[in-house]
């Protein structure tokens, strides 16, 4: 299978070399890798240049966006800049963070997953982060059927069907919901273990705290599902404040009549899907 990788990178000098090294040592190499240097002020660009000099399939593009680490908009804007450099001659496409170390056979196994079932549209493994003792521990605060946005692979059919990635907080939820709306499945493999070098959310701007609630509004969850999802999130993160922030973000987005990320039919499907999952967990 042919596949492309797009890596948005903003001030990733501490991690990028290890991340790119794990890409170039893949047992099934990518056809092309585009690293998007997004307004970096450290040595990110020099690291990219060192790899492009040695590997013809790796290229660089420079872009200038905000320096703020707002989740969603910044990273997907950079991703889309990389996407503009690529053609459609691929079987699957990957959005990869610049602080991820992948096992050497990662994409070979992803290709096998896609080749075994044409209904699988999104695939990936699980992220492990180092604890204070230096041990790599699973960090997956979402449901086990969710692929982290840090290393998402999409078949071309699925990627085209969902219309690419949304430039907003919640992009790595709406993609999976729209994939299912379009008849695709999400597949996670517990044997695919990626090392995440930066703890989740450490670089996020303070403005981001209300964006999760806004995302729930723009995904047309409705207030009851938003309430349940916010309680679940606060419990998982052990942060009671997250519950209040989510509700505040949702109410503010509703008051401002923020643009929806999905149309009414997609929103109805999403609500029905969420309710089925909620009921399944209540009666399991």
């Amino acid at each position: 299978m042919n596949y492309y990788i797009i890596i948005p990178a903003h001030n990733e000098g501490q991690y990028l070399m290890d991340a790119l090294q794990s890409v170039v040592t893949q047992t099934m190499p990518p056809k092309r890798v585009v690293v998007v240097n997004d307004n970096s002020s450290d040595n990110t660009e020099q690291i990219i240049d060192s790899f492009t000099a040695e590997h013809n399939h790796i290229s660089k593009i420079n872009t200038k966006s905000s320096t703020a680490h707002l989740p969603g908009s910044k990273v997907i804007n950079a991703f889309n800049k990389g996407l503009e450099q690529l053609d459609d001659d691929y079987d699957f496409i990957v959005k990869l963070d610049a602080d991820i170390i992948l096992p050497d056979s990662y994409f070979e196994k992803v290709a096998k997953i896609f080749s075994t079932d044409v209904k699988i549209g999104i695939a990936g493994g699980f992220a492990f982060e180092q604890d204070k003792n230096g041990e790599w521990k699973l960090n997956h605060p979402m449901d086990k059927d969710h692929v982290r946005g840090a290393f998402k692979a999409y078949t071309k059919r699925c990627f085209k069907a969902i219309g690419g990635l949304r430039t907003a907080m919640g992009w790595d939820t709406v993609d999976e919901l729209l994939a299912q709306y379009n008849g695709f499945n999400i597949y996670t493999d517990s044997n695919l273990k990626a090392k995440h070098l930066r703890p989740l959310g450490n670089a996020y701007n303070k403005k981001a705290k209300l964006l999760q609630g806004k995302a729930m509004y723009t995904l047309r969850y409705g207030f009851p599902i938003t309430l349940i999802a916010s309680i679940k999130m606060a419990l998982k993160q052990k942060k009671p404040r997250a519950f209040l922030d989510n509700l505040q973000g949702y109410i503010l987005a509703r008051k401002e009549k923020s643009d929806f990320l999905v149309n009414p039919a997609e929103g109805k499907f999403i609500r029905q899907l969420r309710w089925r999952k909620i009921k399944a967990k209540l009666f399991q």
Side-chain angles (χ1 to χ4, degrees):
M1 280 190 170
N2 289 328
Y3 69 100
Y4 294 150
I5 300 176
I6 301 173
I7 305 176
H10 169 72
N11 287 344
E12 297 286 2
Q14 186 177 351
Y15 311 110
L16 184 58
M17 186 171 291
D18 290 335
L20 285 175
Q21 191 59 40
S22 79
V23 169
V24 300
T25 57
Q26 289 296 306
T27 53
M28 193 183 89
K31 183 180 179 183
R32 285 194 62 187
V33 180
V34 179
V35 189
V36 184
N37 175 36
D38 185 9
N39 207 20
S40 297
S41 57
D42 64 354
N43 63 334
T44 292
E45 186 170 10
Q46 289 89 337
I47 293 171
I48 301 170
D49 289 343
S50 70
F51 277 84
T52 59
E54 292 187 21
H55 304 279
N56 292 333
H57 64 301
I58 300 179
S59 60
K60 176 190 73 177
I61 180 172
N62 288 324
T63 187
K64 289 192 175 182
S65 67
S66 164
T67 57
H69 273 277
L70 286 174
S73 58
K74 180 178 174 64
V75 70
I76 299 305
N77 275 329
F79 174 88
N80 286 334
K81 288 288 185 181
L83 187 62
E84 292 171 3
Q85 308 301 309
L86 299 171
D87 56 30
D88 281 346
D89 188 20
Y90 64 90
D91 296 295
F92 65 92
I93 192 164
V94 180
K95 183 264 174 197
L96 183 66
D97 280 2
D99 60 349
I100 295 291
I101 297 177
L102 299 169
D104 290 348
S105 60
Y106 187 89
F107 289 118
E108 182 181 351
K109 291 178 179 176
V110 167
K112 287 179 180 177
I113 290 168
F114 285 141
S115 65
T116 56
D117 186 350
V118 294
K119 292 200 71 177
I120 296 174
I122 300 175
F126 291 90
F128 286 71
E129 295 174 357
Q130 278 186 306
D131 63 16
K132 59 184 178 181
N133 298 318
E135 295 184 23
W136 291 95
K137 298 290 183 66
L138 175 68
N139 184 2
H140 192 81
M142 310 82 170
D143 290 337
K144 295 293 185 182
D145 58 355
H146 172 75
V147 180
R148 285 269 289 269
F151 41 80
K152 281 200 150 173
Y154 308 81
T155 62
K156 181 165 69 174
R157 286 178 60 244
C158 179
F159 191 75
K160 297 291 186 182
I162 67 176
L165 306 184
R166 302 299 194 270
T167 309
M169 176 71 163
W171 70 267
D172 62 338
T173 296
V174 70
D175 61 346
E176 295 186 355
L177 294 171
L178 291 179
Q180 292 171 89
Y181 175 79
N182 284 283
F184 294 95
N185 297 326
I186 294 91
Y187 188 95
T188 56
D189 188 340
S190 59
N191 294 313
L192 293 176
K193 300 177 180 180
K195 292 181 178 179
H196 186 211
L197 301 178
R198 182 194 294 111
L200 187 62
N202 271 13
Y204 285 170
N205 186 288
K206 289 181 180 178
K207 294 179 182 178
K209 67 179 184 178
L210 302 182
L211 293 182
Q212 191 71 51
K214 179 182 179 180
M216 293 177 183
Y217 173 81
T218 58
L219 286 170
R220 298 182 185 265
Y221 275 17
F223 189 75
I225 293 176
T226 297
L227 186 67
I228 294 169
S230 299
I231 292 171
K232 177 185 171 184
M233 182 178 295
L235 290 173
K236 276 197 170 186
Q237 295 179 356
K238 298 180 181 178
K239 294 179 181 177
R241 181 72 206 180
F243 170 74
L244 297 175
D245 287 340
N246 277 9
L247 293 189
Q248 184 181 349
Y250 178 92
I251 292 167
L252 186 62
R254 186 169 64 181
K255 183 179 178 181
E256 294 177 347
K257 296 182 179 179
S258 298
D259 293 335
F260 291 110
L261 289 176
V262 296
N263 64 39
E266 293 165 341
K268 182 180 179 180
F269 173 85
I270 287 168
R271 289 190 299 276
Q272 291 173 338
L273 183 66
R274 286 298 192 214
W275 279 122
R276 283 202 301 272
K277 288 193 172 185
I278 289 168
K279 290 173 182 177
K281 289 182 179 180
L282 285 175
F283 299 108
Q284 64 182 6

